[in-house]
Amino acid sequence: MRDNLTTPPTVSGDKVELTTYALNSPGGNAIFNLLQEKLPDEVISEVLDTLQLVAAEGSRYVRAGAAYHVAMLLNTQVPPKDIVALFVGLIGGDFELMEPGMWSLQYLVWRDYDAILILCQQAIGEEKAHKPITNILTVMWANNKPGAYEVLIELWAINPDMRAASLKMLTNGYDDWPDKQVFFEAFEMFLVPAPTEKLRRAYDSIFIHFPPADFERIAPLLPRYLINCAADFDRDHFLVDYLAKSVKNHPVECIDALNTLFSQIPVSRGYWPASRALEVLIEAYISLPHHLADDADSKAALDLFDKLLARPDCREELDKTLEQVQSAR
């Protein structure tokens, strides 16, 4: 490693990632693999000296290889804050290195949050650092760490697509957050300004795994979500699938959501989950109490049937729909 601190990689190209460069440079590959090993105590001092040398004199490719796995030193007796300081030294002012350093960042941020927060603040102008900063600080925001939200606000203003990355992180970790309200705050907040396609996809993906047990918490946010996003729906369909999971316990809210959804999608434009929405509406109608002749919820369901059956993308389901509605009556 010491003999290859600046030996160039054996690959090149505009689309080659820094990690690939690191693995194809003699020094970067060596340090990348060394740090994955279970290091005996007697060599730790030499390893630290070598890493300090890499931080001071190594090429960015060698430093990328070191930054990737430097958090493995947390398994040794080296003080955690010293490892964080070493990571910060390896990054130096080359904030693109935070991208290959992402694996280590997710562990080091818990050992010296203040140092990593300062690093993120310094790196905010580097586009390739935006994803790791977003991922790390979104987790910190969800864990009530001071300062994380303020940096994220600045980053979202610079790169609005990072709103999608934050929403995905909050969705994936939903079960782990000490206060799930942070997820619902983000859900509502990211609707303004109007979501990009990438953010709209992130919203749709929420409903793949979102727990039906928490339907009552997300239901009040659905009208605004649909008003802001549904006009652009094409492949977006996971909300309809989610309503299908929730409809027996929440028929009224599902009818309202479907009504808002199809109020936003023009009749002239096909929406392929429309037939699935009909099935949800049928289930909602069946689940309603029908002992009152003037029941407003039943009337709302029937009005929505009329609206859906006027759509070309629902018309082929007409016979089956009418048969099921009549049998429900």
Side-chain angles (χ1 to χ4, degrees):
M1 282 179 284
R2 291 175 176 173
D3 291 337
N4 288 285
L5 291 174
T6 58
T7 304
T10 57
V11 296
S12 61
D14 294 339
K15 296 184 179 180
V16 179
E17 296 181 349
L18 268 174
T19 301
T20 302
Y21 276 125
L23 292 174
N24 285 275
S25 66
N29 184 285
I31 198 69
F32 180 96
N33 289 295
L34 174 68
L35 290 171
Q36 294 184 82
E37 300 294 332
K38 181 175 175 58
L39 300 171
D41 292 342
E42 57 268 24
V43 304
I44 294 299
S45 178
E46 185 178 1
V47 169
L48 291 176
D49 288 344
T50 300
L51 286 169
Q52 294 287 0
L53 186 62
V54 168
E57 301 180 19
S59 71
R60 67 195 313 239
Y61 311 118
V62 179
R63 287 186 288 131
Y68 196 107
H69 280 138
V70 72
M72 291 292 287
L73 292 176
L74 293 170
N75 297 318
T76 70
Q77 297 301 312
V78 180
K81 287 194 173 184
D82 290 355
I83 301 171
V84 174
L86 181 56
F87 178 85
V88 172
L90 288 166
I91 300 300
D94 189 351
F95 299 118
E96 285 189 38
L97 294 177
M98 292 180 70
E99 190 172 39
M102 179 63 208
W103 185 87
S104 283
L105 264 174
Q106 65 182 320
Y107 299 105
L108 297 179
V109 69
W110 297 101
R111 271 61 179 197
D112 190 347
Y113 170 67
D114 290 340
I116 297 300
L117 180 63
I118 291 171
L119 178 64
C120 291
Q121 291 170 323
Q122 294 171 338
I124 202 167
E126 172 51 59
E127 183 178 359
K128 290 189 177 179
H130 287 174
K131 185 68 176 290
I133 293 172
T134 301
N135 287 356
I136 292 298
L137 292 189
T138 299
V139 172
M140 295 298 102
W141 173 34
N143 281 278
N144 301 312
K145 292 292 187 180
Y149 177 65
E150 288 74 14
V151 177
L152 285 169
I153 289 177
E154 186 178 351
L155 180 54
W156 296 328
I158 296 170
N159 188 346
D161 279 344
M162 290 300 103
R163 295 183 296 162
S166 284
L167 190 60
K168 287 179 182 178
M169 293 296 294
L170 292 171
T171 301
N172 293 340
Y174 179 81
D175 291 337
D176 300 323
W177 307 138
D179 183 358
K180 292 179 172 52
Q181 185 58 29
V182 68
F183 166 82
F184 298 104
E185 290 174 1
F187 187 105
E188 186 170 19
M189 176 174 59
F190 291 156
L191 291 172
V192 178
T196 61
E197 181 178 358
K198 184 177 289 187
L199 180 55
R200 204 184 76 237
R201 300 292 182 210
Y203 272 108
D204 191 42
S205 297
I206 287 172
F207 300 103
I208 299 175
H209 301 298
F210 193 79
D214 285 356
F215 181 86
E216 291 183 353
R217 297 193 68 177
I218 203 167
L221 303 176
L222 295 181
R224 189 175 178 191
Y225 160 59
L226 291 169
I227 289 170
N228 283 40
C229 297
D232 295 317
F233 278 8
D234 45 42
R235 304 190 306 275
D236 315 60
H237 67 94
F238 292 117
L239 172 60
V240 175
D241 294 339
Y242 180 70
L243 295 177
K245 299 174 187 176
S246 308
V247 65
K248 287 186 179 181
N249 294 323
H250 305 282
V252 175
E253 293 86 348
C254 289
I255 291 169
D256 289 344
L258 289 173
N259 192 35
T260 305
L261 170 62
F262 285 100
S263 294
Q264 301 301 313
I265 300 178
V267 174
S268 59
R269 184 161 64 80
Y271 177 54
W272 69 265
S275 60
R276 175 66 163 154
L278 272 174
E279 297 174 9
V280 176
L281 182 56
I282 292 166
E283 186 65 49
Y285 183 78
I286 293 171
S287 300
L288 290 172
H290 297 284
H291 59 280
L292 299 175
D294 61 347
D295 181 71
D297 295 327
S298 295
K299 183 178 185 303
L302 293 173
D303 288 345
L304 183 53
F305 275 122
D306 291 340
K307 181 187 294 185
L308 292 183
L309 295 176
R311 297 179 60 92
D313 45 14
C314 289
R315 201 164 291 143
E316 63 184 38
E317 299 289 317
L318 177 61
D319 292 339
K320 182 174 71 173
T321 300
L322 291 178
E323 181 181 342
Q324 294 188 52
V325 172
Q326 290 167 356
S327 63
R329 285 175 169 173

